[in-house]
Structure formats: C-alpha cells, structure tokens
Amino acid sequence: MTIPIKGTVADQAQFAGKTLLVVEDEADLREPLVMIFEELGCKVFEASNGVEGFQIACRESLDLVISDIRMPGGDGIELLKNIKGRGGSTPIILITGFSPLSAQETAALGAAAILAKPFEVCDLEQAAARILAA
C-alpha cells in the first residue's frame, strides 16, 4: 500500500524535537511515514515488526509510537502490551486494515488512538499532534 505524500495540516511546532517510532511491516507505507514525521521536525526510529519495535522502545526515550497491528514477527497488540506491561507511558497509535479487537478493546489495553487503513496522512498527523500536545 502506497500513501501519497501531500501537504501537511499539522502545526510543525507541535512535532519539533519529538522522538517517534514507526512500526510497520510494509516498507512502502513505513518509509513515507518516517519521511513525513522527519519533515515535521521529529527524530524517527523505524521497525518492521513488534519485536524490533519493542527493542527500540526499551532503549530509547519515545514521545509516541505509531504501529500497525497485524505484522509477522510480532504484532502491534503485543507491542502495546509489552510497552504498557513494563510500565511505559508512551502513547501508542495503532493503524490497521483489519483488527481482531474493537476500538474500545484497544483503548482498554492503552492505545491512544486507532486508525483504519487506508487513512489520510492528515488524520494521522492530527491524531499525533493531539496526543503530543496532551
């Protein structure tokens, strides 16, 4: 799945100096997301599955995690549980084409937001900006 990179609607000041982790197994989605948030002034780490993502989350101080749910090699729900299970307060946005859990169930696990694929980049930016401003 390829997402078009359009003009952003987010206020860049909300992102400046923030550290994000993008976890997505599809490189054609992960790489544009990384570029978008880097252009907004973020330091961005990337991982292709939940196991890699959790390793990064354990060693880096993150302001936000954006993760796909369904990925081989460790899914986003496992990543969410692992981060929250170790007492992490990092907010997590989940993105998915299909989720085995409802939005209420993911919120109960500690997800800050969930977006369905395909999504508009501006919707992700707005969710991230809202969460980072909180």
Side-chain angles (χ1 to χ4, degrees):
M1 168 178 133
T2 303
I3 60 170
I5 299 176
K6 302 181 205 174
T8 62
V9 297
D11 178 5
Q12 192 166 354
Q14 294 173 313
F15 294 95
K18 300 296 183 183
T19 303
L20 276 62
L21 169 62
V22 175
V23 186
E24 169 62 60
D25 60 317
E26 296 179 40
D28 60 342
L29 177 56
R30 183 181 65 248
E31 292 168 3
L33 291 177
V34 169
M35 285 178 26
I36 288 165
F37 285 103
E38 285 177 340
E39 289 174 7
L40 287 169
C42 297
K43 177 179 182 180
V44 183
F45 293 94
E46 60 183 291
S48 62
N49 63 53
V51 172
E52 289 176 14
F54 185 61
Q55 291 170 346
I56 293 168
C58 286
R59 70 175 186 263
E60 300 296 337
S61 177
L62 302 170
D63 295 300
L64 179 64
V65 174
I66 299 168
S67 178
D68 189 10
I69 290 181
R70 296 182 65 151
M71 297 174 287
D75 68 29
I77 299 297
E78 291 171 11
L79 175 61
L80 171 68
K81 288 178 180 178
N82 288 336
I83 290 173
K84 297 301 180 181
R86 67 182 271 266
S89 60
T90 304
I92 301 169
I93 297 174
L94 295 173
I95 55 176
T96 187
F98 170 78
S99 175
L101 302 175
S102 70
Q104 294 83 6
E105 291 170 316
T106 57
L109 290 173
I114 185 167
L115 292 173
K117 291 179 185 176
F119 56 86
E120 296 291 328
V121 172
C122 63
D123 293 336
L124 177 59
E125 288 177 0
Q126 288 173 348
R130 178 181 45 81
I131 290 164
L132 290 170

